[in-house]
Amino acid sequence: MSKPVVAIVGRPNVGKSTLFNALAGERISIVKDTPGVTRDRIYADITWLDQSFTMIDTGGIEPESSDIILKSMREQAQIAIDTADVIIFLTDVRQGLVDADSKVADMLRRSHKPVVLVVNKVDNFEKFMGDVYEFYNLGLGDPFPVSASGKLGFGEMLDEVCSHFNKKADIDEEDDRPKVAIIGKPNVGKSSIINKLLGKDRVIVSDIAGTTRDAIDTAVKRNGQEYVFIDTAGLRRKSKIKDEIERFSIIRTVTAVERCDVAVLVIDATMGVTEQDAKIAGIAHERGKGVIVAVNKWDAIEKDDKTMNKFKNDIKMTLSFMPYAELLFISAETGQRLEKLFTTIDMVVQNQTLRIATGILNEILAEAVALAEPPSDKGKRLRLYYITEVSVKPPTFVIFVNDKELAHFSYIRYIENKIREAFGFKGTPLRFIIRERKDN
């Protein structure tokens, strides 16, 4: 099940980042060895009561500005609006209702998405309530007063946000076609791959303002099985600001990855594997999705008998945090090995949902412990009592131990490798949850 996506939008300086950071708190799950994933925290996983969702912080929207940075913020907010399930529209009680707020409200109304109107900087509810009521004039329903800096009023606001999720879940549940997100840096050939699979060029979005539908879903049928491809290429934007382009592509990637079962990371063979590729791969890894690395433009490379191995080693080094990723060398131009993409997707989807019987898992665990003694500290040794698989997509295992502190990352990685030796689990990350069970 993909998590719902919630975007915070609003004019500059109304407190979006303050609200984002207050909600994200320190609970952002940072996978230690994933490069650059949460450096500039544009997105975070939030849990409220029993609901979890992905929250995106957009730049400020200046509806009428032609200044390049503000224009690019507006486009970025439009991406977030297009791909979000629910939008938090943040306004500022101190500045009051301004003309630009009404313009943003118009933009949001056109999206036909659920909008939760939030009025920030309400540090004293009695004092400011009169000013909050003014925001009813936007015609977006009840305004929710909060103070992002004081962390006041969050409960009612989050209840309202979460109330819109269930409708999405019903739609998602019915569609069991494998969903594949094609991700990667700009210009690596993502759209070319989908066009080749379809055998015809699709027209990507007209240039009418407001039609930046980014993730374009395309159904492709192969051997009686239908797949949904989520293309993140979208529009080529002539942004002059490198950071902005990168931020765009990250927002786009996060929302596409959130909805997919398998992410295909496209790398340009002529450019080699880069840190930015690793950053994009990290998004799929962090979210526990299946991953296939497709090295595109392979036909354009001068090759000898060592070329492929050198490339494989470079990828292993740069993407060292995801040794499970499947690797394909393809060409969208010639169609080379594109058919193999489907069999690889099928395999990864199968592995993402593979369930292993508890008895067999515990046999593997016992054998692993016998082969390599668990770590100890100050005379106390780690004991592993029991392992069981608790969920799939990705396969998630709980291991019960006597002392969590002793369960070093490297030993758990060793257990993971033993499980992979037995069952493969190619193309999917595995998750391990360590629980303590005290000796009686």
Side-chain angles (χ1 to χ4, degrees):
M1 248 297 284
S2 65
K3 282 205 288 283
V5 174
V6 176
I8 304 179
V9 300
R11 295 180 297 105
N13 308 320
V14 292
K16 289 186 298 298
S17 293
T18 313
L19 179 64
F20 176 84
N21 290 330
L23 290 171
E26 290 313 301
R27 285 188 319 244
I28 293 192
S29 60
I30 298 177
V31 178
K32 294 290 179 292
D33 55 352
T34 311
V37 173
T38 29
R39 192 182 42 135
D40 39 1
R41 305 193 310 192
I42 301 172
Y43 62 92
D45 295 323
I46 312 282
T47 303
W48 171 246
L49 305 177
D50 58 347
Q51 299 271 13
S52 52
F53 57 92
T54 297
M55 189 167 62
I56 296 177
D57 179 19
T58 63
I61 304 177
E62 281 283 8
E64 293 302 315
S65 166
S66 60
D67 174 301
I68 180 102
I69 293 195
L70 291 169
K71 186 165 183 289
S72 132
M73 279 177 165
R74 184 167 74 237
E75 291 175 332
Q76 192 178 304
Q78 184 69 49
I79 290 178
I81 289 165
D82 284 345
T83 47
D85 298 297
V86 181
I87 295 154
I88 292 177
F89 175 26
L90 199 62
T91 56
D92 178 343
V93 76
R94 306 290 166 96
Q95 293 174 28
L97 182 58
V98 298
D99 190 35
D101 285 326
S102 306
K103 294 213 163 78
V104 176
D106 289 341
M107 203 171 149
L108 295 177
R109 250 194 300 276
R110 281 199 298 274
S111 75
H112 302 297
K113 297 282 173 83
V115 176
V116 178
L117 173 61
V118 179
V119 184
N120 191 19
K121 305 186 188 174
V122 182
D123 307 324
N124 178 326
F125 282 66
E126 276 145 32
K127 184 172 150 197
F128 287 112
M129 265 340 261
D131 300 325
V132 169
Y133 291 140
E134 185 192 357
F135 287 87
Y136 271 108
N137 291 324
L138 288 171
L140 290 171
D142 297 337
F144 288 81
V146 303
S147 162
S149 57
K151 300 190 177 173
L152 301 172
F154 285 4
E156 288 191 357
M157 169 187 76
L158 288 171
D159 285 346
E160 178 63 23
V161 167
C162 293
S163 72
H164 296 285
F165 292 164
N166 297 340
K167 299 159 195 154
K168 174 186 186 300
D170 297 341
I171 299 162
D172 277 5
E173 284 303 303
E174 290 157 23
D175 188 355
D176 55 1
R177 297 174 296 179
K179 288 174 200 57
V180 183
I182 306 283
I183 62 175
K185 294 183 307 196
N187 303 322
V188 292
K190 298 189 293 288
S191 286
S192 317
I193 289 174
I194 292 186
N195 288 337
K196 191 75 178 177
L197 293 175
L198 281 177
K200 59 178 185 294
D201 275 30
R202 283 169 315 155
V203 184
I204 295 185
V205 215
S206 59
D207 51 4
I208 306 160
T211 56
T212 48
R213 292 301 322 205
D214 283 274
I216 303 170
D217 291 6
T218 309
V220 177
K221 202 163 190 176
R222 274 296 184 287
N223 309 325
Q225 168 71 49
E226 207 168 271
Y227 305 81
V228 177
F229 281 86
I230 303 164
D231 177 9
T232 54
L235 299 177
R236 294 270 172 267
R237 290 229 173 63
K238 302 283 183 282
S239 173
K240 307 238 183 342
I241 308 142
K242 182 177 177 303
D243 285 356
E244 283 298 312
I245 295 178
E246 200 168 300
R247 199 178 155 106
F248 267 142
S249 65
I250 284 182
I251 284 188
R252 229 181 239 157
T253 304
V254 170
T255 50
V257 166
E258 203 55 84
R259 294 171 47 223
C260 80
D261 302 307
V262 178
V264 176
L265 173 70
V266 183
I267 291 176
D268 184 334
T270 60
M271 292 165 66
V273 59
T274 65
E275 277 309 304
Q276 203 189 339
D277 293 320
K279 204 168 170 181
I280 292 170
I283 294 170
H285 173 70
E286 239 200 347
R287 282 167 165 54
K289 304 294 182 172
V291 178
I292 298 168
V293 177
V295 181
N296 190 25
K297 309 185 188 174
W298 192 241
D299 56 317
I301 298 281
E302 289 291 321
K303 296 183 242 341
D304 59 26
D305 55 353
K306 300 186 180 57
T307 316
M308 193 177 264
N309 277 340
K310 184 186 175 309
F311 219 102
K312 282 180 176 170
N313 289 335
D314 286 352
I315 288 175
K316 278 202 171 74
M317 289 284 292
T318 311
L319 305 183
S320 59
F321 55 94
M322 49 189 336
Y324 56 83
E326 276 295 286
L327 198 52
L328 285 180
F329 291 85
I330 64 166
S331 163
E333 186 67 24
T334 65
Q336 179 187 14
R337 292 200 196 84
L338 273 189
E339 284 305 315
K340 185 133 196 287
L341 190 58
F342 291 100
T343 51
T344 312
I345 289 166
D346 291 344
M347 177 192 72
V348 174
V349 167
Q350 231 173 351
N351 288 338
Q352 275 259 294
T353 52
L354 190 58
R355 288 187 184 273
I356 309 297
T358 302
I360 296 171
L361 282 172
N362 283 287
E363 278 171 29
I364 294 170
L365 183 67
E367 197 174 304
V369 169
L371 285 171
E373 207 171 22
S376 62
D377 185 36
K378 301 189 185 66
K380 185 174 188 187
R381 186 169 299 289
L382 173 68
R383 290 181 59 192
L384 298 94
Y385 299 121
Y386 186 74
I387 181 171
T388 184
E389 185 177 355
V390 289
S391 64
V392 294
K393 281 192 180 182
T396 302
F397 304 88
V398 173
I399 302 180
F400 291 94
V401 302
N402 59 337
D403 186 341
K404 242 173 145 163
E405 295 300 307
L406 292 172
H408 298 177
F409 174 72
S410 55
Y411 197 75
I412 300 306
R413 174 66 59 92
Y414 160 71
I415 301 285
E416 171 175 346
N417 290 338
K418 287 291 173 205
I419 291 174
R420 285 187 184 278
E421 275 171 31
F423 297 103
F425 280 117
K426 282 174 160 179
T428 177
L430 303 180
R431 292 267 188 271
F432 289 88
I433 300 163
I434 308 302
R435 294 254 167 86
E436 247 173 52
R437 206 174 77 184
K438 291 286 177 238
D439 282 347
N440 297 332

